[in-house]
Amino acid sequence: MCGIIGYIGEKNPIDILINGLKSLEYRGYDSAGIALKNKDQVETIKSVGKIINLEEKIKSTDLISSNLGIAHTRWATHGRPSEENAHPHQSGKITLVHNGIIENADELREKLKKEGISFYSETDTEVVAALINKYYEKSPVDAITKALQEVKGSYALGILFEDNEDLYAVRKDSPLIVGLGQKENFIASDIAAIIDYTNKYILLEEKEIAHIRKDKVEVIKEGKVIDKKIEQTNLEKDSKDKNGYDHYMLKEIMEEPVVLEKTFKPYLEHLDSLPDLTKYEEIHIVACGSAMYAGMIGKTLLEEYANTKVEIDVASEYRYKNIIYDRKTIVILISQSGETADTIAAMRKAKEHNIDTLAIVNVKTSTIARESDSQIFIEAGPEIAVATTKAYILQVGIMALLAYKTALTKDLVKEEHKVLEEAEHLPRLIKEVLDRQDEYKEIAKEIYKEEDIFFIGRKIDYATSMEGSLKLKEVSYIHSEAYQAGELKHGTISLIDEGMPVFAIITDDTIKDKTVSNIEEVKSRGAKTIIISNESWDNQKLQVVVPRISPYFQPLLIVPTLQLIAYETAKLRGCDIDKPKNLAKSVTVE
Ligand code: F6R
């Protein structure tokens, strides 16, 4: 979603700000802008669409010289994508950029209008600028503090004051860091924006205000300057490169064997280091999108092999439902970014009820990583493509290990060594599956001109179908739906037409005969079936056969095939694969 970078130092900030915005592009945006400051002059330039448009505009403008600036990529929430609505926003002496949503913006706008303040944009952000300006007399920190007392919602703000030479920043429920350089400092919503200049940073906590000069950073909490720990990221500068691949999505899929090995290593050596879920009478899994589908695989494995009942819900529902916590419960939150607004709210709800929270998370400095009671970190490294691939695989992998450990603790595992041995072979087996790109290209050729595609499966294969369908639709824009194979005939089968592609996932031996009957049902209505399975099927033209492995890990060999089919299909359709339209990498609004 929106991205922020700010700079103060001795250099001209334009290149640094534009480079930072480009590093944040992956989060999704529809307009961009920068503000530069010199003495009491502030100049803003904004444009709709890609950052290249902003660059063109900057090139054709005679800009003020400057050593201080802020920049932003906007993903529209309040008001359509337009230059007026793009950030930075200005009101009186204030210029600012904002990530998040101000929930009482309408109410505040009306109040300010009555006080004679006028507005030029439809955004909630302009209201914050007006409010800070209203309270600004001499002290920027006082003005920010007073204004934010009236604001409800989430914000990460980078703020310039017309008659002050420093940079200010503050956050609540939306991430923001202060990057520390030599005679230069930065603000950023994501370390990726500043990694080319520094790997040292301070994490701002809720409502802490940063007062940033080129050679000094003060963090103020409740009126007092506080000491802050200096963090260091191990993110490599080149982690932002595509390493010769056409797209980040492909690069990230190809990284799956390596990141799985890294993530599994400590747990395969010490399975005991995984939490003991048998201590709980109830398990809730809560997440959004693909992370939720990873949870569905976990639920199926826990129920099927560890005889453990699991409730699962999407976070946007869970946070508002009447959840009855009357048994010893653990809430497992799954999130790559650790900043998904609904998942954060679900976590906080559980904590308010004194329920234990366990996060399966990639970004170690994220809100979910910091606020959850315990964490299992997946080692995906930065995931730049908007559509998750390697992080999803690792989420599934961790759920499989948790289910296995739970089954083991309950004495339900028969071939203990076999399962763990197979886990060790997984990186090699995934690589084998990934290396068969010609097969996926062939299937992509069969489907890329279609406008509707179905995925069917039962039990764990249904959970896998959900992810296959989501991946295909989000990157190729082909409408696609996943159905429990047995459910299709209760209405949806009326949509099956001559030649319509139907993917069937068949790996679960206990139910495969039933799925085969459902395949016959769609075939006899003209569907073109594509079977993805761990065995080969006679008289089936389109099929992918992956190695057979323990059911705990079988989805880890099926999903890469679905990811690559989605990728190849999107490529044939000429889609913007790494940044599909309307999508954002980190969904920080509800
Ligand atoms: C789909 C996708 C999304 C995310 C979802 C949750 O490819 O990436 O569905 O899985 O937005 O995001 P995180 O895991 O960051 O909480």
Side-chain angles (χ1 to χ4, degrees):
M1 286 200 149
C2 307
I4 290 177
I5 171 159
Y7 174 83
I8 185 163
E10 294 184 340
K11 298 178 193 141
N12 183 324
I14 295 179
D15 290 347
I16 295 169
L17 296 178
I18 293 291
N19 186 27
L21 290 184
K22 285 185 179 162
S23 308
L24 296 171
E25 272 192 299
Y26 76 99
R27 295 168 68 99
Y29 69 105
D30 39 49
S31 54
I34 65 168
L36 301 176
K37 180 167 165 17
N38 187 357
K39 304 219 169 66
D40 55 0
Q41 251 187 307
V42 179
E43 188 162 353
T44 62
I45 301 203
K46 313 183 200 187
S47 74
V48 176
K50 298 284 175 199
I51 287 164
I52 181 94
N53 302 347
L54 182 67
E55 281 183 287
E56 295 297 327
K57 235 174 150 178
I58 289 173
K59 271 189 210 145
S60 59
T61 314
D62 194 10
L63 285 168
I64 55 169
S65 69
S66 161
N67 305 113
L68 167 60
I70 50 178
H72 190 262
T73 45
R74 172 175 188 255
W75 189 85
T77 57
H78 287 55
R80 73 209 150 79
S82 68
E83 278 188 24
E84 297 78 59
N85 289 334
H87 302 209
H89 282 286
Q90 291 184 293
S91 186
K93 290 184 172 171
I94 311 302
T95 304
L96 56 76
V97 287
H98 166 221
N99 284 0
I101 287 192
I102 307 304
E103 286 161 12
N104 58 342
D106 289 345
E107 194 188 305
L108 290 171
R109 189 184 289 107
E110 288 316 306
K111 213 168 113 189
L112 289 164
K113 272 187 183 166
K114 282 190 192 134
E115 293 170 18
I117 294 164
S118 54
F119 293 90
Y120 58 85
S121 77
E122 299 159 275
T123 64
D124 51 345
T125 303
E126 194 191 347
V127 175
V128 185
L131 206 58
I132 297 178
N133 187 54
K134 173 180 155 177
Y135 288 113
Y136 184 47
E137 286 168 1
K138 275 198 192 113
S139 158
V141 172
D142 285 353
I144 295 169
T145 309
K146 281 185 191 146
L148 294 181
Q149 274 163 2
E150 292 184 30
V151 163
K152 287 191 196 136
S154 58
Y155 48 80
L157 298 166
I159 315 165
L160 302 177
F161 292 77
E162 193 184 86
D163 51 3
N164 180 294
E165 293 308 302
D166 304 336
L167 172 61
Y168 292 83
V170 61
R171 70 165 280 259
K172 178 183 163 277
D173 292 339
S174 186
L176 197 65
I177 58 171
V178 181
L180 307 173
Q182 293 292 329
K183 293 200 181 149
E184 58 184 7
N185 290 310
F186 308 81
I187 56 168
S189 51
D190 183 328
I191 186 80
I194 54 173
I195 189 68
D196 289 343
Y197 314 103
T198 183
N199 61 357
K200 291 198 179 63
Y201 65 97
I202 290 172
L203 255 175
L204 284 184
E205 297 291 346
E206 301 287 270
K207 294 192 180 173
E208 288 176 354
I209 301 174
H211 174 187
I212 307 155
R213 302 174 185 104
K214 71 173 183 190
D215 46 13
K216 189 175 177 192
V217 175
E218 275 178 347
V219 176
I220 299 125
K221 186 178 186 179
E222 290 162 4
K224 291 200 184 83
V225 176
I226 55 164
D227 283 340
K228 291 289 290 182
K229 187 172 156 224
I230 297 176
E231 316 274 346
Q232 194 158 338
T233 177
N234 56 8
L235 197 70
E236 302 290 335
K237 277 191 193 176
D238 67 3
S239 59
K240 291 192 305 178
D241 298 343
K242 288 191 196 136
N243 282 355
Y245 288 102
D246 287 348
H247 297 94
Y248 285 111
M249 182 176 176
L250 185 59
K251 174 194 172 216
E252 288 163 6
I253 294 172
M254 292 304 168
E255 283 170 0
E256 285 170 359
V258 175
V259 293
L260 188 92
E261 188 157 15
K262 194 169 172 201
T263 302
F264 266 27
K265 195 168 184 282
Y267 303 114
L268 294 184
E269 281 166 8
H270 302 284
L271 204 61
D272 281 352
S273 58
L274 284 172
D276 177 6
L277 298 181
T278 63
K279 288 194 308 202
Y280 298 94
E281 292 166 330
E282 205 159 307
I283 296 173
H284 296 179
I285 298 178
V286 186
C288 300
S290 292
M292 213 281 287
Y293 298 147
M296 274 174 66
I297 292 183
K299 171 184 161 75
T300 313
L301 292 174
L302 278 159
E303 289 178 347
E304 203 73 7
Y305 303 107
N307 206 19
T308 301
K309 188 169 166 274
V310 180
E311 301 287 343
I312 186 160
D313 217 334
V314 286
S316 53
E317 289 291 311
Y318 188 90
R319 63 182 291 187
Y320 292 116
K321 268 188 185 170
N322 178 24
I323 311 282
I324 299 151
Y325 296 109
D326 59 352
R327 304 170 75 204
K328 191 164 164 49
T329 302
I330 184 165
V331 176
I332 302 180
L333 304 137
I334 308 178
S335 177
Q336 184 283 127
S337 63
E339 298 295 352
T340 302
D342 285 317
T343 313
I344 292 174
M347 170 185 68
R348 290 184 180 156
K349 173 178 182 150
K351 285 177 73 83
E352 272 163 29
H353 287 83
N354 290 321
I355 297 297
D356 287 354
T357 52
L358 163 67
I360 299 174
V361 64
N362 188 35
V363 180
K364 296 189 173 98
T365 52
S366 63
T367 307
I368 292 179
R370 285 181 292 129
E371 289 187 23
S372 52
D373 298 313
S374 57
Q375 304 77 29
I376 299 176
F377 291 113
I378 56 170
E379 299 289 348
E383 199 180 54
I384 307 280
V386 165
T388 182
T389 51
K390 58 177 176 171
Y392 168 85
I393 285 284
L394 300 182
Q395 292 162 348
V396 172
I398 290 293
M399 287 313 304
L401 288 182
L402 276 175
Y404 174 70
K405 159 145 188 196
T406 312
L408 202 65
T409 312
K410 289 182 157 185
D411 216 8
L412 294 170
V413 177
K414 288 188 199 89
E415 293 172 300
E416 185 180 333
H417 294 293
K418 194 164 167 253
V419 176
L420 288 182
E421 266 165 35
E422 288 194 330
E424 276 170 15
H425 292 305
L426 261 173
R428 178 180 55 79
L429 294 174
I430 295 178
K431 183 160 185 324
E432 262 175 53
V433 168
L434 294 177
D435 283 347
R436 289 157 52 185
Q437 279 186 62
D438 287 349
E439 287 181 50
Y440 313 129
K441 284 186 181 151
E442 278 312 306
I443 292 177
K445 274 190 209 150
E446 294 281 340
I447 62 169
Y448 81 102
K449 289 190 180 144
E450 303 292 338
E451 286 311 322
D452 298 285
I453 294 182
F454 282 90
F455 283 73
I456 57 171
R458 285 169 181 260
K459 293 167 72 177
I460 201 150
D461 296 328
Y462 168 61
T464 313
S465 301
M466 297 292 287
E467 176 60 8
S469 169
L470 180 65
K471 212 77 325 169
L472 182 70
K473 72 182 130 197
E474 68 182 326
V475 297
S476 76
Y477 312 148
I478 298 177
H479 167 243
S480 144
E481 285 184 53
Y483 263 81
Q484 296 97 335
E487 182 62 13
L488 213 56
K489 56 182 155 306
H490 296 284
T492 313
I493 202 162
S494 68
L495 294 171
I496 304 288
D497 265 336
E498 197 56 42
M500 184 184 282
V502 176
F503 281 86
I505 318 291
I506 321 180
T507 67
D508 183 337
D509 291 335
T510 65
I511 195 82
K512 68 179 180 194
D513 294 348
K514 304 284 176 196
T515 308
V516 169
S517 308
N518 302 131
I519 293 175
E520 291 308 321
E521 286 161 12
V522 292
K523 259 187 176 168
S524 60
R525 281 151 186 92
K528 173 160 74 182
T529 54
I530 303 130
I531 296 184
I532 316 285
S533 179
N534 53 3
E535 64 182 288
S536 73
W537 296 84
D538 293 342
N539 306 322
Q540 173 65 35
K541 182 175 160 236
L542 297 172
Q543 58 177 311
V544 177
V545 184
V546 303
R548 178 173 279 267
I549 191 168
S550 153
Y552 287 100
F553 305 122
Q554 195 67 68
L556 293 168
L557 298 185
I558 295 290
V559 172
T561 70
L562 300 173
Q563 292 171 339
L564 282 173
I565 290 168
Y567 171 79
E568 295 297 347
T569 307
K571 203 168 163 190
L572 288 175
R573 286 168 71 95
C575 298
D576 189 356
I577 296 181
D578 286 332
K579 295 186 282 279
K581 66 176 182 325
N582 305 335
L583 291 182
K585 181 68 184 163
S586 179
V587 185
T588 49
V589 296
E590 63 171 294

